[in-house]
Amino acid sequence: MTPYEAELVVDRRESAAEGVLVLTLCHPLGDPLPAWEPGAHVDVVLGPDLERQYSLCGDPDDRAVWRIAVLREPGGRGGSAHLHERVGPGDKVRVRGPRNHFRLEPSPRYRFVAGGIGITPILPMLAAAERAGAEWTLLYGGRSRRSMAFTGEVERYGDRVTIAPEDETGLLDLGSVLDGVPDGTLVYCCGPGPLLDAVEERCPPGILRVERFRPKDAPRGDGDAEFEVVLARSGRTVTVPADVSVLDAVRAAGAEVLYSCTEGTCGTCETDVVEGTPDHRDSVLTDEERAAGETMLICVSRCRGRRLVLDL
């Protein structure tokens, strides 16, 4: 299925915090935008080699607009600077998606943990948990209060929300929300890598759902080796050398594949596996999805064996 892609118009441009730009996007003809669920993100296509992923942080029931928040990253590759400096009301931005690898699963209880701009996918989750009548809490940290976006929106939930700027309270007290969680609780966390790693260490297996902005160091197998990929739709066989990704190899062979981050974090290149065992090295799939082996992210993952058959 070809994903939705369109030139959307910037309807509003606002500041949500120090260094955080909020863009509200709409269709130029007023057409409704595709439906989405909490945890979804979109690709913002800024040029041939410049795409970035941003979580949708508005109201899923409002099909007229999509809202994204962009943290300015001085050491980044130019995407955030482009949006901060060159995009304003009335400008058009090419957007593709949405896709979702961070869905809010039904549960009677949630513990949400957000760090910095990681609050963005969590925002619509709070509203969904509230509507469902679930028990939930949010622990939200950042460098300082002035750098933390959407604090006003989360504070309206009252004492279920703990806002903990590091310059006021120190590092997040994860034990206060993660130690001794009741059975049936799901933990959702988004933020910088060290925070996610710390939360992973505290959570028992099976209850944690995370979304990463940067790739997690993936364990390697027995060393990279050459293998073959069969493109099931054409029957063509492609050799993947030890130092070349599956994505690059199949694209060089003429296969049309959507991709974006090339780091295993966005999920754009997720491909169905027809036969063979993937060597998963992404930061997107759950342990259950990896064990099933039905899909793989071909920008970073490889093959456990000599041959893969992919739905390409």
Side-chain angles (χ1 to χ4, degrees):
M1 180 177 176
T2 302
Y4 176 85
E5 184 169 346
E7 295 277 353
L8 301 184
V9 175
V10 177
D11 182 54
R12 292 193 303 277
R13 172 190 166 108
E14 306 164 275
S15 175
E18 185 177 80
V20 179
L21 169 69
V22 176
L23 298 176
T24 302
L25 309 173
C26 63
H27 192 277
L29 300 179
D31 294 349
L33 299 175
W36 60 280
E37 297 178 352
H41 69 260
V42 294
D43 303 327
V44 177
V45 184
L46 301 172
D49 297 309
L50 190 60
E51 298 183 18
R52 298 293 179 267
Q53 291 72 46
Y54 297 102
S55 297
L56 293 171
C57 56
D59 179 2
D61 291 332
D62 186 354
R63 299 282 299 278
V65 297
W66 281 346
R67 184 175 74 160
I68 61 173
V70 182
L71 172 66
R72 179 156 191 159
E73 299 182 86
R77 293 178 289 176
S80 66
H82 179 99
L83 291 171
H84 274 256
E85 297 172 6
R86 303 184 187 180
V87 175
D91 290 337
K92 290 185 177 180
V93 178
R94 178 160 289 277
V95 180
R96 183 174 59 228
R99 66 176 52 84
N100 198 340
H101 285 279
F102 194 42
R103 287 183 174 84
L104 185 68
E105 301 171 23
S107 177
R109 284 174 293 277
Y110 300 99
R111 299 293 181 264
F112 298 105
V113 181
I117 199 64
I119 190 63
T120 50
I122 299 294
L123 275 178
M125 292 185 179
L126 303 182
E130 184 76 357
R131 287 194 301 270
E135 173 197 326
W136 64 268
T137 63
L138 166 67
L139 179 61
Y140 177 22
R143 295 188 310 277
S144 65
R145 194 173 294 270
R146 65 179 180 275
S147 71
M148 296 170 66
F150 306 115
T151 53
E153 292 190 23
V154 299
E155 284 176 330
R156 67 185 177 87
Y157 291 111
D159 59 7
R160 281 172 293 178
V161 173
T162 301
I163 295 178
E166 186 176 349
D167 63 351
E168 298 178 19
T169 64
L171 295 176
L172 289 179
D173 181 8
L174 296 178
S176 66
V177 295
L178 298 180
D179 289 351
V181 293
D183 290 344
T185 301
L186 290 181
V187 177
Y188 279 78
C189 181
C190 186
L195 171 63
L196 272 61
D197 293 341
V199 171
E200 283 184 339
E201 290 179 2
R202 281 189 173 268
C203 285
I207 73 168
L208 178 62
R209 309 290 185 267
V210 301
E211 183 168 62
R212 291 181 177 270
F213 300 134
R214 297 288 182 269
K216 182 180 181 181
D217 290 337
R220 296 302 189 225
D222 298 327
D224 291 343
E226 182 177 286
F227 59 94
E228 291 184 343
V229 167
V230 178
L231 309 183
R233 299 180 196 176
S234 66
R236 183 171 182 180
T237 297
V238 178
T239 298
V240 182
D243 59 348
V244 175
S245 70
V246 176
L247 173 65
D248 287 343
V250 299
R251 290 185 66 239
E256 294 186 4
V257 184
L258 285 177
Y259 69 97
S260 182
C261 74
T262 69
E263 296 179 330
T265 59
C266 74
T268 305
C269 69
E270 184 175 7
T271 302
D272 288 342
V273 178
V274 179
E275 185 181 319
T277 304
D279 178 7
H280 295 290
R281 302 182 182 184
D282 64 275
S283 302
V284 173
L285 299 179
T286 65
D287 290 341
E288 293 78 11
E289 289 169 332
R290 292 180 179 214
E294 296 175 352
T295 68
M296 65 183 289
L297 271 65
I298 62 173
C299 66
V300 292
S301 296
R302 299 186 67 80
C303 176
R304 293 187 181 276
R306 300 295 301 164
R307 183 174 179 269
L308 282 173
V309 182
L310 300 180
D311 185 21
L312 291 173

